[in-house]
Amino acid sequence: MTEQAARTSILGILTRWLPARWRRDVPVVPVVRLSGAIGAVTPLRPGLTLAAVARLLERAFSARNAKAVALVINSPGGSPVQSRLIYLRIRQLAAEKKLPVLAFVEDVAASGGYMLACAADEIYCDPSSILGSIGVVGGSFGFPELLKKIGVERRLYTAGEHKAQLDPFLPEDPHDVARIKALQREIHDVFIALVKDSRGARLKGEPDKLFSGEYWAGNSSVALGLADGIGDLRAVLRARFGDKVLTPVVAPPTGMLAGLLGRKSGAGTALGSEAMAGLPEHMISALEARALWAKYGF
């Protein structure tokens, strides 16, 4: 055996003893879960924000031997700003690292959740997944008659003609409604442009239908071009990269490590006086998040 052959043989033996994730011949596809309402915060679970997921995304796209990055999405939407910020960060990292991105929808990728899915080069879903809801919604309650009934006088002082617009304790003003609808149309146009840029010629439905705020199950979503196919993460990645593909989940630290790193969520201090003082607001946020899920039957 020549010296070169001996070296090759020894190197082969050593390589087989290395952990699979360190071996160059084993493909790796890091997995990042994007789950929950976007931007909403509750006492027990923070919502999805760029600040919460930026480090996870950086780790996923920097993984050794990564052939792609997989996003597992389960979100009914929420903040349009945070949705777009996360979308942009994913696309920026994909371009920098030259890695394809594959999205796998679980229960829901609707509204802002679908915007997250659009950050992927390909979108896969289950036949019972719900996708779409490309629109903008907002709402409130009105209590002016209740105040009169219980004998409460509303006193409001503002500097600025429109500072108190849509105040729930004042009668609804048609001009305020027109302004909020114009604002919604502007945000909706941004959403539509993002979907068109992401999906391109794959979109098959009429724009008036696709961008009406309607949502669809998996097979219909594929037919409309909102998704690329029916499939689960394990099957699709094995078919694409082989049976030996590794799919490590990139997750935030938990327990003692989270505390040492100072990354524990607000749930870790839920019994503190500051958290207790804000409990009513947290309860409202929790109800709003619950309402987002309930809209899609979950």
Side-chain angles (χ1 to χ4, degrees):
M1 179 181 294
T2 65
E3 182 178 349
Q4 180 62 35
R7 288 179 180 176
T8 301
S9 178
I10 293 171
L11 183 61
I13 294 171
L14 292 175
T15 299
R16 285 196 294 272
W17 284 94
L18 285 173
R21 65 180 180 276
W22 292 355
R23 290 165 50 184
R24 292 177 179 250
D25 61 329
V26 178
V28 175
V29 179
V31 178
V32 179
R33 293 190 63 87
L34 300 176
S35 181
I38 302 169
V41 178
T42 69
L44 300 179
R45 186 173 186 177
L48 286 172
T49 63
L50 178 60
V53 303
R55 190 170 298 182
L56 301 182
L57 293 172
E58 292 277 357
R59 285 170 51 196
F61 279 93
S62 300
R64 184 192 297 266
N65 297 335
K67 303 301 181 185
V69 171
L71 308 175
V72 176
I73 296 174
N74 196 10
S75 174
S79 164
V81 174
Q82 291 299 324
S83 301
R84 188 170 182 275
L85 288 175
I86 296 171
Y87 166 93
L88 290 174
R89 183 61 56 88
I90 293 169
R91 293 315 310 160
Q92 290 161 359
L93 289 169
E96 290 170 11
K97 303 296 184 178
K98 296 180 172 57
L99 288 174
V101 182
L102 306 177
F104 297 88
V105 178
E106 292 189 328
D107 298 309
V108 181
S111 195
Y114 184 69
M115 188 182 292
L116 299 183
C118 284
D121 299 289
E122 299 175 33
I123 301 173
Y124 294 91
C125 59
D126 185 84
S128 298
S129 299
I130 292 176
L131 292 82
S133 192
I134 302 167
V136 181
V137 64
S140 65
F141 298 92
F143 305 101
E145 297 303 319
L146 177 62
L147 294 185
K148 293 179 183 178
K149 187 173 182 179
I150 62 177
V152 175
E153 180 184 355
R154 170 70 161 159
R155 295 175 179 175
L156 183 66
Y157 311 100
T158 67
E161 181 182 355
H162 304 298
K163 189 63 178 177
Q165 65 178 343
L166 298 178
D167 186 298
F169 298 102
L170 295 175
E172 188 175 64
D173 185 336
H175 296 290
D176 290 347
V177 174
R179 278 191 290 270
I180 195 67
K181 284 186 174 292
L183 180 64
Q184 289 178 326
R185 283 193 295 271
E186 187 174 347
I187 297 172
H188 193 197
D189 288 342
V190 172
F191 195 172
I192 292 171
L194 183 149
V195 174
K196 286 182 175 180
D197 184 61
S198 171
R199 302 298 298 167
R202 288 175 289 184
L203 293 174
K204 300 180 179 67
E206 291 297 323
D208 288 346
K209 180 178 182 179
L210 288 175
F211 307 130
S212 66
E214 190 176 350
Y215 45 89
W216 298 270
N219 287 313
S220 295
S221 297
V222 173
L224 291 169
L226 297 176
D228 295 286
I230 300 297
D232 63 276
L233 182 144
R234 186 172 185 269
V236 171
L237 294 186
R238 283 192 164 203
R240 183 74 57 88
F241 301 104
D243 291 343
K244 292 184 179 181
V245 63
L246 296 179
T247 56
V249 177
V250 181
T254 58
M256 183 180 295
L257 181 58
L260 290 174
L261 294 178
R263 298 183 62 193
K264 188 175 292 184
S265 71
T269 58
L271 296 180
S273 59
E274 183 178 345
M276 290 299 290
L279 191 56
E281 182 179 346
H282 289 319
M283 291 177 66
I284 292 173
S285 294
L287 289 172
E288 290 176 342
R290 180 63 258 167
L292 280 174
W293 286 106
K295 177 179 178 181
Y296 305 104
F298 296 95

